[in-house]
Amino acid sequence: MMVLILAHCLQLVVVQVTLLLADSLQKLSMLQSIKLDGCPVTCSGLKALGNWCVSLRELSLSKCLGVTDEGLSSLVTKHKDLRKLDITCCRKITHVSISHIANSCAFLTSLGMESCSLVPREAFVLIGERCLFLEELDLTDNEIDNEGLPFLPNSG
């Protein structure tokens, strides 16, 4: 499995996943796993990753500044075979991203979305209805309550 890990690369002077970095990734279309934890990203960088990393199965954007509904939604709609997604502490995403994830990534087995505070509890119903293969789901510090739990997969 081809993996790219740039996690916690903030020490570098100009480390942003921008169109420039994503352009160099075009040559790595066989990448299956990308971990950008803690890196600042841009909308155009996420869109480029979505366009060029056609074999992507695992994506970790935990604690990445700059992850927005527009960038994340664009990426996940192009990767219907995505199996693992970590968007922990991506504090700018809303129900829009969750809707795109639920509608596009039905085969997810792992979804980490701890502390996604702008996502309303109603969005979790979509996850329960559409992501039926989830084995791991982290909803720590989110707007989920006992009424929403039955809608999640395997919570019966």
Side-chain angles (χ1 to χ4, degrees):
M1 171 185 283
M2 289 192 65
V3 177
L4 173 66
I5 300 174
L6 295 176
H8 306 289
C9 57
L10 292 175
Q11 295 84 352
L12 299 177
V13 177
V14 182
V15 179
Q16 281 200 353
V17 179
T18 61
L19 199 53
L20 181 61
L21 175 58
D23 185 46
S24 64
L25 293 177
Q26 182 178 13
K27 297 170 185 71
L28 301 174
S29 64
M30 297 308 293
L31 269 176
Q32 294 177 324
S33 179
I34 298 177
K35 297 181 183 190
L36 298 173
D37 301 343
C39 295
V41 298
T42 63
C43 183
S44 60
L46 289 176
K47 287 180 178 182
L49 287 174
N51 288 333
W52 292 325
C53 297
V54 296
S55 299
L56 198 59
R57 298 294 176 266
E58 300 177 7
L59 177 63
S60 186
L61 299 171
S62 176
K63 300 179 184 174
C64 288
L65 299 177
V67 176
T68 62
D69 284 333
E70 182 183 356
L72 184 58
S73 296
S74 174
L75 191 146
V76 298
T77 56
K78 293 182 173 119
H79 291 283
K80 298 191 185 302
D81 289 330
L82 204 60
R83 297 297 192 260
K84 294 183 178 185
L85 178 62
D86 190 349
I87 50 174
T88 295
C89 295
C90 290
R91 301 185 193 275
K92 295 180 182 178
I93 64 165
T94 68
H95 68 285
V96 172
S97 289
I98 302 309
S99 177
H100 282 95
I101 291 167
N103 288 320
S104 300
C105 304
F107 298 107
L108 276 180
T109 59
S110 176
L111 177 59
M113 52 179 298
E114 178 181 342
S115 298
C116 294
S117 54
L118 294 180
V119 176
R121 68 181 65 146
E122 296 80 21
F124 299 111
V125 173
L126 286 174
I127 294 170
E129 290 175 345
R130 307 247 169 86
C131 299
L132 302 178
F133 298 99
L134 277 177
E135 298 170 4
E136 181 181 4
L137 179 62
D138 186 351
L139 299 176
T140 306
D141 293 330
N142 280 297
E143 291 294 323
I144 190 80
D145 56 20
N146 288 341
E147 291 178 19
L149 288 177
F151 294 106
L152 297 176
N154 301 317
S155 64

